[in-house]
Every structure is written in C-alpha cells, then in structure tokens.
Amino acid sequence: MATAVSNIAPPEVAREVIDPRAYAEWDHLLGTFDWLREHLPVARIEAAEPGLHPPFWLLTRYEDMMRVSKENALFLNNPHTVVFSTTDGIEFAKKFSGGSEHMVASLVTFDAPTHMKYRKLTQDWFMPKNLRGLEDEIRTIARAAVDRLLTGGEEVDFCKTVAAPYPLHVVMQILGVPEEDEPRMLMLTQQMFGGQDEDLNQSGMKDLPPEVITQIVAGAVKDFEAYFAKLTAEKRANPTGDVASTIANATVDGEALNDRDMMGYYIIVAAAGHDTTSASTAGAMLALAQDPEQWAKVKADRSLLAGIVEESIRWTTPVQHFMRTAAEDTEIGGQKIAKGDWIMINYVAANHDPSQFDDPRRFDASRENNRHLAFGAGAHKCLGLHLARLEMRILFEELLDRIDTVELAGEAKRSNSTFVGGLKSLPLRIKAA
Ligand code: HEM
C-alpha cells in the first residue's frame, strides 16, 4: 500500500472499511487495520464516491479507543448516528424517526443524564447475583441445543443448530417472549443487524442498493414495534417478573416510558442479546475445532474454559464498531478533531492492536490480562456481558461433557456486515462421547 501523505486514508482503504463484504474477508481487513495503525492511526475516511457517506475519523489504536469510550462527556452518542450509515440511510432514519439520525431510541443512543436513568431500570437484572438464579434454566436450554447437535447427522452446521438459536432462546426467556414467537424475532433481528448480508436479510439477493437495505431494516423495526406494543399491554395487565415486565411498568422522572423509548428498550435487549453471543460462541467452536489438542486439554481441565470464553470474545469481536460525535474541539492521538466530528471506534482494530495483544491474530486462551474492548468501556459498557459469558460457559460445559471429538467438515463463512458480524455457517463433524 502507498505511504500516507496526509491524514486522509487512501480511497481503496476508505472503500474497504465501510464495505460490509470486506468484513467477511477478515484477514485482509485485519491487514488494512494494521497498515492504518502504523501509518494513520487516526485516519480521515472520506467517501470514495461523492456524497456516499459523511466523513469520519477511524481509530485503530487500542489506547485511543479506550480513552474515547471512557470520556463520555467529550465523545457523545449524539447527535450523529451511533452505527455507521450512508447519507441515504441517515436521511431515511430521520424521516422514519421524525428528525433523529437514530432509527431506534435506546440505551446506546442516550447520553447523560438520560442514559443512566434508563440503564438503571434493568441494570440489576443483568448482574451476576441475579443471573445465578437463571443458571438452571439456561442449562436446560443448552442441553436441548446439544441434543439437536448430536442428532443432526454426520455433518452439522453449528451456527444454524446451536450458535444462533441458543442465545436467542435464552434472551427471549429473559424478555418473556413466548417460544412460538422466536422464529419471528430471529428473522427480525437478523434483518436489522444482518441487513447487509443476503443470507441474513432474507432477500437472497447480493449487492442490494443501500436504500433497499434501509427499507428492510425499517420494516423490521416496525414489525418489532407492533409485536412489543402487544407484549407491553399484556405485561402491564399481568407482570411476571421478567425484563419485559420491568420495562413495561418502568417510570423515569415519575412518568411511564413513551412508546419510542419503550420499544427501543425491548429492541436493544432482544437484538443486542443474541446475534452477538451467537458470533462469539461460533468463534469459540471454530477455534476448538481447528485445534484438537486444545479441545482435549479443556475437556480434561475445565479451569481453562474461562480463558477460552474470554479469548473467543476478543478474537471474534462480534460488535465491530460504534460511532461517537465530538462535543468540543479536541484531539485524539495528536490529531485535531473539531466539535461535531463523527468518530468510529473500531473494536476489531482495537482488539488486534499488537501493542496491547501479543500476536493478536492467534487464538490464545492463556492470554494474561486479556483486557479486550469487545464489550466496549465507559458508561455504555455492555449491559449483557455477564450474561454472555455465563451462556457461553454453560453451553461449553455441556458440549465438552457430551462430545468426544470435533472437526471442521467444510469452510466456515463469515457474514457481510460492518456492524454486528461473525460466522454465519460452521460445518462440523462431531463424535459423541
Ligand atoms: C452494549 C458488545 C452481549 C445488551 C454493548 C456495546 C458493545 C457490546 C461493544 C457498546 C459498548 C460501548 O459503547 O462502550 C457485546 C458483545 C456481546 C454482547 C461482544 C456478546 C459476546 C450482550 C447481551 C446483552 C447485551 C447478551 C443482553 C441481553 C447490551 C445493551 C447495551 C450493550 C443493552 C447498551 C448499553 C448502554 O448503552 O448502556 N454490547 N454485547 N449485550 N449490550 Fe452488549
């Protein structure tokens, strides 16, 4: 690649870092982030085609992203959208929402002081103390997933059989969504988060124009809203102690949540709660299928499991970015940033920074001090991180108990997505214990 002569990224780089297909070509993308970190750690990304998207600053150094994540008063989640979008997408969201760049209003689109008031409503629910009471229920769901895997034939797709349905089922139980409605929830969240991938957006079409993708996402949001309006009425009439009952009956500053805020709350828990954990779960299985020695070791010594779970979350980095807006003129890593500038925290790049992680592309479950940024940091740090770890631990305990050996039966494929991404298929050959 050419030597950098200004703070503006070369056009081929600008094209790649916003291309959903580039995130399926993981190794190449990691190489691009390495180049940027060395030559342009705070890179100006300007649209390769005029007007395609607003310019933004792309960060690739771990320490810069840790700082930006933690300085929540200086780096805001408003007014620009927190998920990268094209100019057309932003205009569509504004029309859809009545003026906001955020298609949905949720915890990730609030800043202080509103953010903490909303976060507090469900925070205790997601703490280890409360989650301990859910372990048995989660284990039952994990066992059913392993049953499906073991009865799925000689070759099974781990993503479709286990990694996708298992966390979905857990989060839907937590929300209080009846089991028969889960396929609809899966389709809607995949359309929202996988809107850029032809296998996940249910269109079966490659290279959809951005406006069509936006329409698919907007359709999913509307469908979600209709579904949760009904659930709210039920949980108000009949609260059952689940998260949906908490949200339906919550008050902020003495008032019930308005429709947009309430829907956004359900949507973020429903959506953030499963595709993410699916991706890290599939990644952990890929790492183990590629390394039979490691599989045998952890089968014999379960104390190694926590390291495998944490490393797979770093190694896969399911949430690939979030955006921030500078509240004031400032600097990042010596680069001047103007008030109102849009900034991309790229967690994939942060978690592959060699100054923080030795040999970052290697899956190394024995990493000490694995302070990855996959869950973010600061005020918005993932609310569901204890749940994600718990789900993975329980599932792998069950898998390790009941499977003797596991090997790859074909090519593992990644999804096309700049936002939440990971494996969409993982063909395995499994020998039961
Ligand atoms: C926020 C990653 C699982 C619910 C976030 C953020 C990231 C993230 C990067 C933004 C952090 C920031 O801005 O600093 C992940 C990963 C997961 C996972 C990698 C799995 C491996 C879950 C689960 C749930 C969940 C299981 C809930 C059931 C949320 C919520 C927020 C959030 C509600 C917004 C928090 C706020 O803005 O205050 N997550 N997440 N996540 N996550 Fe997760």
Side-chain angles (χ1 to χ4, degrees), residues 69 72 77 106-110 115 119 122-123 126 167 171 174 265 268-281 313 316-322 324 345 347 372-385 387-389 391-392:
S69 299
N72 300 101
N77 289 29
S106 75
L107 287 185
V108 278
T109 69
F110 296 145
H115 171 250
R119 190 169 160 118
T122 55
Q123 193 159 253
F126 288 101
V171 87
I174 282 171
Y265 219 127
I268 192 161
V269 176
H274 75 87
D275 265 7
T276 49
T277 314
S278 299
S280 52
T281 301
I313 296 169
T316 55
T317 310
V319 176
Q320 298 173 146
H321 81 267
F322 265 118
R324 297 289 190 265
I345 302 176
Y347 301 111
H372 63 73
L373 258 177
F375 291 124
H380 290 276
K381 188 165 183 173
C382 178
L383 187 61
L385 63 92
L387 176 62
R389 288 180 181 136
E391 283 179 56
M392 289 185 69

Side-chain angles (χ1 to χ4, degrees), residues 19-21 52 86 88 190-191 194-217 416:
D19 182 354
R21 292 165 303 186
L52 180 64
T86 60
D88 286 349
Q190 289 192 333
Q191 284 183 338
Q196 299 158 324
D197 187 285
E198 71 276 10
D199 289 334
L200 299 182
N201 66 24
Q202 318 284 324
S203 73
M205 286 159 67
K206 274 192 197 300
D207 299 330
L208 285 176
E211 60 281 9
V212 177
I213 291 172
T214 313
Q215 295 281 0
I216 291 175
V217 174
N416 299 337

